[in-house]
Amino acid sequence: MRRRGAILTALGLLAAGGLALGNTPAAQAAVACKVTYTASQWQGGMSANLSIQNLGDALNNWTLTFTFPGSGQKVTQGWSATWSQSGSTVTATAMDWNKSLSTGGSTSIGFNGSWSGANPAPADFALNGVACNGSTPSQSPSPSPSRSPSPSPSSSPSRSPSPSPSPSTSPSPSTGAAPKLKVSGNRIVNAATGTPYRLLGVNRSGGEFMCVQGRGIWDGPVDNAAIDAMKAWNVRAVRVPLNEECWLGLSNIQSSYGGAAYQTEVKAYVDRLVAKGITPIVEMHWNYGQYTGNSSGCSDVHASCQKPMPDAQYAPQFWTGVANAFKGRDEVVFDLFNEPYPERATGSAASGWACWRDGGTCSGIPYQVAGFQSLVNAVRATGATNIIMLGGLAYSNDLSQWLQYKPADSRNNLAAAWHVYNFNSCVSTSCWDSQLAPVAAQVPLVAGEIGENTCSHGFIDQVMNWFDAKGASYLGWTWNAWDCSTGPSLISDYNGTPTAFGAGLRARLLSS
C-alpha cells in the first residue's frame, strides 16, 4: 500500500573469551532430552537446524551445548537462540519466547556456519549440563548454493501447467514452526513434503515508516500475544514491510531505530512468526532516491514515501544484508519491492518494463535504478535459496508483461506479486482472466495486498473468490488498528477484533 507507512534474533556471538561451558546451569536429575541435528553443507559453508525435545520435567529455561568435532568449524550466524562459541564449544541459550519447554515439548533452533578441512556432525549435546542420550545427528552434504539443483521450472506454454492446488491442500500448521517452502511449477510447496502451500494472511505495517519518522520501529505490538491473535484468524503468512535506510542504519536515522537495533527487532519478530507456524514475507517498502515526477509520493530524497523503483545506491546492499540474515531459512519469503511504478516516470509501459527488469538510467527517474534482475542476482550471490516475489508495474497491479520480462533466476524460485484495491485499474474478473491467469499458469501468484476503501469487504470477496478458484495466495492490508475510513484496516484492536472490512478476510481465512 503506498498510502502509509519487519528471523533471526540478535546473535550475541562472542570472541574467544565468550560464554564458557562452565557458565551453563547446574545439571538437574529431572532433565532428559533428545536433540536431532540436521545440516546441509557446501564447500566451506553449512546450515544446520536442531530440534530440542524435552523428555524430562518441564523447564523454565534452557541452555544447549555441544562441541564441534572438527578444528575449523564455526557458527557465523544463528536464530531462535543466543549463540556463542569458545574454541570448539558452542552454546545456545533460550530466548524469552521459547525458554519454557513442557514435558514432551520441543523447539527448533539453527545456525549458519563455516568449516575447513572436514565438517563432521557434533554428537555430544547437553541440555542444562545433562547429556542428551537420545541425540541423533544427521548430516547430508549438498552442493554449493550456486550449483544446487533447482526446483522444476515453470511449465512451458506448449505444456499443460500443473493443476492449481485447492485451498484444502494447504492447511495452516496448528503446531510447530513454519515450513520451508519452494516453487514447484506454478505452485508454492512445502519443501519437505511437496504439498501445495498457500500464503493466506495479512500485512503488518509499521516497520516501513515508524523508524524514518523517528517514532520507534513498530506501530503497535508484535509480541507473541499479538501473533496469537493472528493465529486465531488462521493467518498462515504475514508480510512485513521494511525501510531500506533503517535496515542499513544510514545517518538520517536515529541509532535507536536503525542499523543493528532495527535489524535485531526485525529478526526477532520474524523468528517469532516462524516459531508460531506463520510464514514471514520480508519486503522493501520505502527506499532512498529523490523523485518528484508523475505520481510522486514526496519530494524527500530519504526513504519516507513510496518511490517508483529501488535505487542502485543502497537497494543491492539492503538485499545482500537481508539475504545473508535469512539464507538457509527457506521458511522466509523475500518480496523485493513494494509497488513499482516506473511507467509513470518513463512515459510508457514498454520503457517501464525495461526499467523494471534492467534498471540503470531510466527516463524521468533522477536516481540510478536497481532493476529486478540485479536484485535477484544480489540475493542469489549470498547463497540464499528463499522464494523471491516480484510485483509488476502500476503499483504491482499490472502483470501484463511480467512473464516476458521475468528475471533469470538460478534457483527457478520466483513468484509473481500482485496488488489490488477497488480503486486500481485491473479490478474485474475479465481483467484477471486475461492478465493474471496466464501468469498463474506458469508461476505462483501471490496477491501481496488486497483491500478496499469502503470499510466493507464486497470487493475483496470477489478477489478471494477468484484466487480461491485458482488455488493462489492473498494477504489483506493491513493488520493495524487504524480507522478503516482512512485506509483499509483489518482490525480495531490488537486482540484481533475485526473491522467491517476485516470481517470478510477473517471469515475466509477461518474457512480455508
Side-chain angles (χ1 to χ4, degrees):
M1 182 71 172
R2 58 184 181 273
R3 184 190 160 279
R4 289 187 67 169
I7 183 149
L8 314 174
T9 57
L11 302 180
L13 295 177
L14 306 180
L19 186 63
L21 182 58
N23 290 351
T24 59
Q28 299 179 22
V31 175
C33 50
K34 176 180 178 180
V35 175
T36 302
Y37 177 96
T38 305
S40 60
Q41 68 177 49
W42 54 93
Q43 186 58 47
M46 60 176 162
S47 183
N49 290 286
L50 296 85
S51 174
I52 305 169
Q53 184 178 12
N54 179 24
L55 303 178
D57 292 342
L59 297 175
N60 293 322
N61 207 349
W62 55 265
T63 296
L64 179 75
T65 58
F66 61 88
T67 304
F68 276 133
S71 60
Q73 296 172 294
K74 295 184 182 299
V75 172
T76 58
Q77 182 182 59
W79 54 89
S80 299
T82 299
W83 292 84
S84 63
Q85 183 172 348
S86 179
S88 59
T89 300
V90 177
T91 302
T93 304
M95 307 301 295
D96 285 343
W97 58 266
N98 66 355
K99 66 183 181 181
S100 297
L101 279 179
S102 61
T103 300
S106 62
T107 190
S108 296
I109 62 176
F111 67 88
N112 292 328
S114 61
W115 57 276
S116 59
N119 188 36
D124 61 338
F125 300 102
L127 195 67
N128 291 357
V130 176
C132 296
N133 295 327
S135 299
T136 55
S138 172
Q139 186 159 354
S140 58
S142 66
S144 163
S146 62
R147 296 176 176 268
S148 297
S150 300
S152 300
S154 11
S155 304
S156 66
S158 61
R159 299 177 61 187
S160 299
S162 302
S164 298
S166 67
S168 61
T169 62
S170 55
S172 175
S174 57
T175 59
K180 293 181 180 295
L181 302 173
K182 68 177 183 179
V183 169
S184 178
N186 68 336
R187 297 174 294 178
I188 293 173
V189 301
N190 183 315
T193 65
T195 306
Y197 198 86
R198 299 174 71 200
L199 302 178
L200 300 177
V202 299
N203 286 260
R204 180 64 178 91
S205 183
E208 76 275 30
F209 66 86
M210 289 290 286
C211 56
V212 74
Q213 295 172 3
R215 299 195 289 135
I217 294 178
W218 306 113
D219 179 47
V222 293
D223 57 7
N224 280 322
I227 298 172
D228 287 340
M230 294 177 175
K231 292 283 289 183
W233 281 38
N234 199 28
V235 166
R236 67 191 66 165
V238 172
R239 183 169 174 262
V240 185
L242 302 181
N243 186 292
E244 177 188 73
E245 291 185 323
C246 297
W247 177 274
L248 296 175
L250 300 188
S251 60
N252 59 300
I253 305 297
Q254 294 182 33
S255 60
S256 55
Y257 305 144
Y262 184 86
Q263 292 178 28
T264 295
E265 279 289 328
V266 172
K267 294 170 184 177
Y269 181 44
V270 179
D271 221 19
R272 291 192 292 274
L273 290 171
V274 169
K276 291 283 188 178
I278 294 177
T279 299
I281 304 172
V282 292
E283 172 259 323
M284 190 173 82
H285 207 82
W286 285 357
N287 64 294
Y288 181 90
Q290 190 165 39
Y291 174 73
T292 58
N294 186 11
S295 301
S296 170
C298 65
S299 60
D300 191 1
V301 69
H302 293 298
S304 60
C305 69
Q306 177 71 31
K307 307 297 173 69
M309 281 292 290
D311 61 297
Q313 185 169 353
Y314 293 117
Q317 182 181 349
F318 171 92
W319 276 112
T320 296
V322 172
N324 272 320
F326 304 152
K327 68 181 179 183
R329 300 196 66 193
D330 287 350
E331 57 272 345
V332 181
V333 174
F334 298 158
D335 187 352
L336 293 188
F337 190 66
N338 177 40
E339 293 181 344
Y341 58 99
E343 78 290 349
R344 304 287 181 97
T346 63
S348 73
S351 58
W353 279 108
C355 176
W356 182 87
R357 182 188 61 196
D358 302 329
T361 300
C362 296
S363 175
I365 302 179
Y367 58 88
Q368 287 291 294
V369 169
F372 287 111
Q373 182 65 71
S374 69
L375 296 184
V376 170
N377 293 346
V379 169
R380 295 300 182 228
T382 68
T385 57
N386 309 62
I387 292 175
I388 294 174
M389 291 167 48
L390 298 167
L393 302 189
Y395 300 98
S396 293
N397 185 243
D398 177 4
L399 298 184
S400 59
Q401 298 183 58
W402 194 96
L403 292 174
Q404 178 182 344
Y405 284 89
K406 172 187 173 185
D409 177 23
S410 60
R411 302 293 307 182
N412 289 313
N413 222 21
L414 301 182
W418 183 69
H419 295 185
V420 69
Y421 294 85
N422 58 309
F423 47 81
N424 288 142
S425 297
C426 188
V427 293
S428 65
T429 55
S430 60
C431 182
W432 307 338
D433 289 340
S434 63
Q435 188 181 120
L436 302 186
V439 177
Q442 295 198 41
V443 297
L445 176 63
V446 181
E449 295 181 15
I450 63 173
E452 56 187 287
N453 59 0
T454 65
C455 281
S456 185
H457 54 84
F459 174 71
I460 68 163
D461 286 347
Q462 299 174 48
V463 176
M464 292 186 293
N465 288 340
W466 194 91
F467 273 69
D468 284 343
K470 299 293 183 183
S473 303
Y474 48 81
L475 300 97
W477 183 275
T478 173
W479 188 274
N480 292 76
W482 304 334
D483 181 349
C484 71
S485 66
T486 66
S489 181
L490 296 164
I491 54 174
S492 57
D493 59 56
Y494 288 99
N495 293 322
T497 303
T499 61
F501 162 64
L505 178 66
R506 180 180 181 273
R508 192 65 60 100
L509 294 178
L510 288 174
S511 67
S512 63

